[in-house]
């Protein structure tokens, strides 16, 4: 049943819901931070601080627009996964396209703010990954007997794009809760990215290989060994 604890837990572990948990957490953290930081500044009240945070500059407007687009994309993903896996392919593709648009806005805002590392990782790589996931189709590449599709590798790229963002927040972490919220958001989003990975992509294959290697090392050397 959808309303049972098991049903709610299943829904909470779907990509669209996870994306929007991270979206709401990140957006709320920014609003609260703007409200708290706005009060001590001369001539800037709480409301003014929030307005400046949301639309006070080109970068702020781009980041706000990115948040809204990502949130809508999360809703589309939720609709795609309404009946569990596998998702509705058309709705899932629409979710990828919405995420592409959000990532472009995010990259622009971060570039304007002067953070090229995050702009490249959280924005450009994310956008390329989502766009490739949506339109890569069945076009396959060949690497020494392995032939992943562009779509498979693009899904991997989205997850990889989270790593520099997490490292950037972790390196600059000084005990502030805003940096902590960025790390938590990225981990939540990474979980959603993981659920969207293709079994034929590089990341899933590597993980399977690692676990297979662990199982092989744990087996007896000879049939009669304990």
């Amino acid at each position: 049943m959808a309303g049972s604890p098991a049903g709610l837990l299943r829904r909470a572990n779907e990509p669209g819901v996870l994306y929007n948990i991270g979206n709401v957490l990140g957006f709320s953290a920014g609003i609260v931070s703007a409200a708290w930081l706005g009060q001590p500044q001369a001539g800037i009240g709480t409301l003014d601080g929030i307005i400046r945070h949301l639309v006070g500059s080109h970068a702020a407007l781009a980041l706000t627009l990115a948040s809204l687009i990502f949130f809508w994309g999360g809703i589309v993903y939720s609709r795609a996964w309404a009946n569990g896996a596998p998702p509705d392919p058309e709705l899932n593709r629409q979710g990828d396209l919405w995420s592409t648009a959000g990532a472009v806005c995010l990259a622009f805002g971060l570039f304007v703010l002067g953070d090229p590392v995050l702009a490249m990782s959280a924005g450009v790589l994310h956008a390329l990954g989502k766009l490739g996931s949506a339109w890569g189709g069945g076009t396959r590449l060949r690497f020494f007997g392995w032939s992943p599709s562009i779509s498979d590798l693009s899904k991997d790229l989205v997850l990889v794009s989270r790593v520099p963002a997490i490292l950037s927040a972790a390196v600059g972490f000084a005990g502030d809760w805003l940096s902590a919220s960025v790390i938590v958001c990225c981990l939540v989003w990474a979980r959603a990215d993981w659920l969207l990975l293709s079994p034929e992509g590089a990341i899933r294959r590597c993980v399977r290989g690692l676990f297979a290697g662990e199982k092989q090392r744990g087996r007896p050397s000879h049939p009669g060994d304990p």
Side-chain angles (χ1 to χ4, degrees):
M1 294 175 61
S4 67
L8 293 175
L9 183 61
R10 179 183 64 81
R11 289 291 291 164
N13 195 39
E14 289 175 356
V17 176
L18 288 168
Y19 277 138
N20 275 344
I21 288 174
N23 293 337
V24 171
L25 175 61
F27 189 77
S28 301
I31 292 292
V32 173
S33 176
W36 284 357
L37 294 176
Q39 291 177 358
Q41 299 178 29
I44 301 179
T46 300
L47 182 58
D48 288 338
I50 293 174
I51 292 174
R52 291 190 180 195
H53 171 75
L54 294 176
V55 294
S57 66
H58 289 103
L61 182 59
L63 294 175
T64 298
L65 183 59
S67 297
L68 295 175
I69 294 174
F70 280 135
F71 187 78
W72 178 251
I75 292 175
V76 175
Y77 278 124
S78 292
R79 291 172 57 198
W81 287 74
N83 297 318
D88 181 287
E90 182 57 34
L91 286 174
N92 207 56
R93 187 176 298 109
Q94 289 180 29
D96 287 338
L97 291 175
W98 280 107
S99 292
T100 301
V104 170
C105 292
L106 179 63
F108 173 79
L110 292 172
F111 269 124
V112 173
L113 288 175
D115 199 332
V117 174
L118 281 182
M120 283 298 299
S121 62
V124 175
L125 292 182
H126 192 143
L128 290 175
K130 287 295 186 180
L131 186 61
S133 178
W135 294 113
T139 304
R140 293 192 171 273
L141 307 174
R142 298 195 178 278
F143 301 101
F144 305 102
W146 174 45
S147 57
S149 70
I150 293 177
S151 179
D152 294 340
L153 295 180
S154 296
K155 289 179 172 65
D156 289 344
L157 187 60
V158 175
L159 179 56
V160 170
S161 74
R162 307 295 183 187
V163 176
I166 293 174
L167 291 178
S168 178
V171 169
F173 184 69
D176 59 304
W177 68 274
L178 190 56
S179 294
S181 71
V182 171
I183 295 173
V184 172
C185 287
C186 286
L187 291 174
V188 173
W189 290 327
R191 170 59 182 168
D193 298 336
W194 172 265
L195 293 174
L196 290 171
L197 290 181
S198 166
E200 299 306 314
I203 294 177
R204 291 266 193 181
R205 284 171 59 91
C206 287
V207 171
R208 286 201 304 270
L210 288 173
F211 278 103
E214 289 294 330
K215 289 181 179 179
Q216 288 291 339
R217 284 192 290 271
R219 288 177 180 175
S221 300
H222 302 285
D225 290 347

